[in-house]
Amino acid sequence: MDIIKDIKTSQVWTLMADETTDRANREQMTIVVRYLGKKQDGEGLIVKEDPVGVMDAFPEIRSAVGISKAEEEVRMTGSNIAAVLVKKTSELALDTNTLVAQCYDGAAAMSSQRVGVVANIKDVAPMADYYHCAMHGLNLATSRVVAVPVIRNAQDIMSSTITFVTDGAKREDLLTKIVATKGAKGKLIKLCTLL
């Protein structure tokens, strides 16, 4: 895999992870690595960010921690989540000596300097300082802003308009042709649902 090769040749890299429950009620964990890579022209460096894993957290924790009994409770503790992250980075043969940062949300299981993922990763990568995920803060702020009636109403109007255009093949085809005549590229996409 070229991404793993690029990470291995990088001087430094950052481990980022987050988990969320999907529609099938599974706890999905995403692992992303931020690292220094060469620009396409080969001149200079650029910060790259690539996913290296998406997994069902509970079976991964069972495997990483060694929980063999199906009836035994799987807990989303800092040490259990860290065990999954360490296992994954080990499987990818990533050098923890060049791991210089960790980036997670502010949940105690992730960010606790004593018992969270941060503390457990520090045991295997002492240079990996913790940084709170800025995007998580943005997501929280965005979810709160829809409480403002004017913003909520504007979002509802945009959502209804986008749905009207994209749920009709003829309307979407017409929009695509109009956009093409203006020399623009892209497609009208539906808005993310905010809490």
Side-chain angles (χ1 to χ4, degrees):
M1 194 195 283
D2 289 340
I3 293 171
I4 302 305
K5 181 181 168 190
D6 289 347
I7 296 168
K8 288 179 181 180
T9 59
S10 176
Q11 299 291 319
V12 293
W13 60 282
T14 298
L15 178 64
M16 301 185 300
D18 198 9
E19 77 279 341
T20 188
T21 306
D22 67 10
R23 287 184 179 184
N25 212 23
R26 293 177 307 200
E27 192 73 14
Q28 296 291 318
M29 181 183 295
T30 305
I31 302 172
V32 177
V33 173
R34 182 181 292 155
Y35 59 99
L36 288 175
K38 292 185 178 176
K39 289 184 178 178
Q40 286 185 346
D41 61 7
E43 298 292 321
L45 298 173
I46 187 169
V47 176
K48 293 185 175 184
E49 195 172 287
D50 290 306
V52 294
V54 177
M55 62 201 73
D56 193 347
F58 290 140
E60 290 294 329
I61 289 173
R62 284 186 186 282
S63 172
V65 178
I67 300 173
S68 57
K69 296 179 184 173
E71 65 276 357
E72 193 172 339
E73 180 185 3
V74 175
R75 298 183 61 209
M76 297 294 286
T77 63
S79 60
N80 286 353
I81 297 169
V84 171
L85 296 175
V86 169
K87 180 182 174 197
K88 186 65 177 176
T89 56
S90 178
E91 288 171 358
L92 297 172
L94 298 177
D95 183 7
T96 54
N97 291 319
T98 57
L99 174 56
V100 296
Q102 310 174 59
C103 186
Y104 317 117
D105 63 21
M110 301 301 278
S111 65
S112 171
Q113 300 282 340
R114 195 173 55 82
V115 295
V117 173
V118 170
N120 287 276
I121 295 294
K122 275 270 203 192
D123 289 343
V124 296
M127 292 181 9
D129 291 328
Y130 167 68
Y131 297 92
H132 189 279
C133 177
M135 286 309 295
H136 187 70
L138 177 62
N139 289 344
L140 292 174
T142 305
S143 69
R144 288 191 178 101
V145 79
V146 295
V148 178
V150 173
I151 294 172
R152 186 179 55 246
N153 293 343
Q155 183 184 11
D156 288 345
I157 291 167
M158 287 189 320
S159 182
S160 296
T161 304
I162 292 168
T163 299
F164 174 76
V165 172
T166 59
D167 283 357
K170 189 172 184 177
R171 291 184 294 263
E172 188 163 7
D173 182 61
L174 179 61
L175 177 66
T176 303
K177 288 178 183 173
I178 292 170
V179 168
T181 62
K182 301 293 182 189
K185 292 182 181 178
K187 186 176 179 180
L188 189 60
I189 57 172
K190 294 184 179 180
L191 299 174
C192 293
T193 305
L194 300 175
L195 300 174

